[in-house]
Amino acid sequence: MASASWRRCSQTCPPWPTAGFPSSRRRGGTGAYRLGLELAAFRSPASRLIVGTPTWPNHIPVAERAGLRSVTYRHYDPATGTVDFDAMMEAVSDARPGDLFLLHGCCHNPTGAALSPAQWAELADALLEAKLLPLIDLAYAGMARGLVEDAAGTRCLLDRLPEAIIAISCSKSFGLYSERTGMLAVMAASPSAAGACRLTAETFARSLWSNPPDHGAAIVRTILGDEGMRANWLAELDAMRHRLAGIRSRLAASGLPGTEPIAAQEGLFAMMPFDSGRIAAMREKHAVYMDMSGRINIAGLNAGNIDRFLHACRDMSHPANRRAEPNSSLRDVASATQV
């Protein structure tokens, strides 16, 4: 879906080219992300995608399938549990005009580390000066501070920059994971450029997935079009956000070294400060499973299992209980869980 309120493009990129026959545009957040990459690569094949790591494991492979080379930088400082903002700003300075700069709109996956409003503003000005195109993955709106509040960083970029690509997912906020419901939003330089972008996107969508299912989109339309249903949905979203915040507070107050920053992070994911030997031992002794990187889904913890989880974490904090290195079968399991 392309916006009709596009503004003047920076001089580093050509106009959006037109190619065209119509198609549907709904294919979940991943489909929106892929379609945005296809548009960017079609307009400027030499552009690169600048990606902070760690990130969602599918970000780089999908970009490569679209023909874009990825350049990485360190997004997360594990010592402080916060965004490595200096590294991010250095990556902006090192990028070439016309490159895409990938950003998580809120609820960073997998770290949960968030930019402050001041950092969003500084980043927006730096992207403008460097003539970079932000590609915003907005997959978890409503899971951090609120539906409107979680879009504040994206709005900050849109207020300052002439162009942007936004991939939006309904999988989490509407609980429609298997229905593949989402949206691609593109802000461009002019109404005519918006029209060209729409036609090109429809052509690419036709070749990528042709006609997607409409069930999830119909559910979202029904909820948003009914005042009572919308109010119920917002209340449920608020309840989930508060539950996630409560779990984060429990983890941060657990006394486990390195977990304190989790309370100030946001969203569904966090990085537990455990090495691979400790994680392997937790699997073998307590049947507690997490990715070998320490990535956990906060939503997988609840009042019924968090005490058992913390007991396993504390038990494995003793050096005598740790494995020196996970065996190959456990490494295979860890690789298979990168979703």
Side-chain angles (χ1 to χ4, degrees), residues 159-273:
D159 286 342
R160 287 169 165 79
L161 296 164
E163 291 188 323
I165 298 174
I166 310 169
I168 301 169
S169 172
C170 296
S171 295
K172 292 84 179 176
S173 58
F174 281 89
L176 293 170
Y177 218 100
S178 61
E179 296 291 348
R180 314 312 304 147
T181 305
M183 182 179 75
L184 173 69
V186 180
M187 184 177 74
S190 66
S192 61
C197 180
R198 178 187 290 273
L199 287 175
T200 306
E202 289 174 342
T203 300
F204 288 156
R206 174 67 171 169
S207 64
L208 286 169
W209 57 75
S210 188
N211 293 296
D214 190 52
H215 305 93
I219 292 171
V220 172
R221 285 196 303 270
T222 301
I223 292 172
L224 296 182
D226 182 277
E227 184 175 346
M229 289 185 180
R230 180 185 175 89
N232 287 340
W233 166 65
L234 289 173
E236 291 178 359
L237 193 59
D238 286 346
M240 177 56 70
R241 184 177 73 254
H242 291 310
R243 189 179 86 76
L244 295 174
I247 295 296
R248 288 187 174 278
S249 296
R250 285 287 306 276
L251 292 174
S254 66
L256 293 168
T259 58
E260 295 87 351
I262 291 177
Q265 296 167 0
E266 60 185 29
L268 270 72
F269 298 101
M271 301 293 291
M272 296 298 289

Side-chain angles (χ1 to χ4, degrees), residues 106-107 140-152 234 237-238 241-242 266:
C106 65
C107 303
Y140 300 94
M143 296 290 183
R145 297 178 303 279
L147 198 61
V148 173
E149 294 85 348
D150 291 351
L234 289 173
L237 193 59
D238 286 346
R241 184 177 73 254
H242 291 310
E266 60 185 29

